[in-house]
Amino acid sequence: MLKDILKEYKILEGMVPYNISMQSEMHFHRGTEGQLIVKSSELNQGLIEEFKKANLDIQFSDAMLEIQWAKLLLNLNNSINAISGLPLKQQLSIRAYRQCLAMANKEALNLLKIYQIKPAKLTVISPDIIPYILSLPNSLFKIISHKTLKIDPLARSSMQDDLLSGKPTEVDWINGEIIKLANKIGKEAPVNEYLLKCIKQKEKSNSIDVILAKDLKSQLSKLVNK
């Protein structure tokens, strides 16, 4: 979209790995770790210098499609976090919410496999293993996540921020992208369709009424087992 609009500019694909939540009108809080990744180009050195001025690390890659899909898989939790109304760390401590995310991830991974896209490895854990780790009992998940996933207690998804402030969310570019991928290959994505529908309803009602973990898991499980 940017390339179509800003034809006179050099537009590079990029990926922001960490979570940013708005604590107040002028206070943005970085709640997780990671390094910015940008598509390799002749601008690499200049970008390194500019980002250093802002105390930001940056790395470059020629595999941005695989990186962007990997980030999108992680971002499938945005809608679940918004539905929960909880900070990210608290939401991910509840197994039923994690199992909902695992279902959304498995659905997306199956579609990506058919489409012959292998998501990049953005964390120490490969994307195809993440759904199984998410489904682990709390005691085991806590041990693994303590070593691999550092989340600030204040962090929450930008989608939850948008709902709280009455703004349209980015759900069409997250869960909606999985639905588009399914349509391209003649498949369905019922889990991601349901999550998108929930967020759209919240946008219309201008509310963030929570759906309890067990209720959301029950509904998604029915769709998976149809």
Side-chain angles (χ1 to χ4, degrees):
M1 291 172 68
L2 288 173
K3 286 177 180 178
D4 287 340
I5 297 168
L6 304 173
K7 295 182 185 296
E8 68 274 29
Y9 290 92
K10 178 81 171 181
I11 306 297
L12 299 174
E13 292 85 346
M15 189 277 289
V16 180
Y18 40 77
N19 168 271
I20 301 290
S21 63
M22 188 168 69
Q23 301 300 312
S24 64
E25 188 175 349
M26 298 296 290
H27 177 193
F28 293 88
H29 180 79
R30 174 173 167 172
T32 54
E33 297 180 333
Q35 191 172 42
L36 296 165
I37 304 177
V38 176
K39 185 175 181 178
S40 295
S41 76
E42 71 280 6
L43 302 176
N44 284 11
Q45 189 56 44
L47 287 173
I48 290 172
E49 293 170 4
E50 290 301 318
F51 275 77
K52 274 185 179 178
K53 293 176 185 177
N55 294 318
L56 290 171
D57 291 326
I58 186 172
Q59 65 183 62
F60 301 93
S61 174
D62 292 317
M64 287 308 301
L65 180 65
E66 292 82 359
I67 288 170
Q68 288 175 315
W69 274 110
K71 177 64 191 303
L72 190 141
L73 289 172
L74 298 175
N75 278 355
L76 291 179
N77 188 55
N78 285 15
S79 55
I80 297 169
N81 178 255
I83 287 167
S84 77
L86 299 170
L88 276 168
K89 190 169 186 177
Q90 187 178 351
Q91 176 238 317
L92 289 170
S93 72
I94 300 172
R95 188 186 186 193
Y97 279 135
R98 295 200 309 274
Q99 289 171 317
C100 293
L101 176 56
M103 285 185 268
N105 264 263
K106 282 182 181 178
E107 183 174 85
L109 285 165
N110 288 336
L111 293 169
L112 286 169
K113 186 175 181 179
I114 295 170
Y115 208 68
Q116 297 186 327
I117 294 175
K118 186 176 181 180
K121 184 180 176 183
L122 296 182
T123 68
V124 296
I125 302 169
S126 298
D128 55 336
I129 302 297
I130 288 175
Y132 301 98
I133 291 176
L134 290 168
S135 301
L136 290 172
N138 287 336
S139 56
L140 291 175
F141 179 79
K142 187 176 181 180
I143 294 170
I144 294 175
S145 63
H146 180 71
K147 295 179 179 179
T148 62
L149 184 65
K150 295 181 180 179
I151 301 178
D152 189 287
L154 294 176
R156 61 176 184 263
S157 71
S158 56
M159 198 173 293
Q160 188 176 153
D161 278 341
D162 287 338
L163 287 176
L164 288 168
S165 58
K167 297 176 182 177
T169 71
E170 56 194 356
V171 70
D172 288 319
W173 288 275
I174 298 180
N175 301 91
E177 287 297 327
I178 305 302
I179 299 165
K180 288 178 190 175
L181 182 64
N183 291 338
K184 284 180 182 178
I185 55 181
K187 299 290 184 180
E188 294 182 346
V191 171
N192 283 283
E193 283 181 8
Y194 185 82
L195 293 171
L196 182 143
K197 181 181 176 182
C198 288
I199 296 299
K200 290 295 185 182
Q201 287 174 342
K202 290 179 183 297
E203 286 180 348
K204 288 179 181 178
S205 63
N206 197 26
S207 71
I208 195 165
D209 296 334
V210 304
I211 301 177
L212 296 177
K214 61 183 180 64
D215 295 331
L216 184 62
K217 178 191 169 186
S218 175
Q219 183 60 44
L220 295 183
S221 296
K222 290 176 185 176
L223 295 171
V224 169
N225 296 324
K226 266 189 176 181

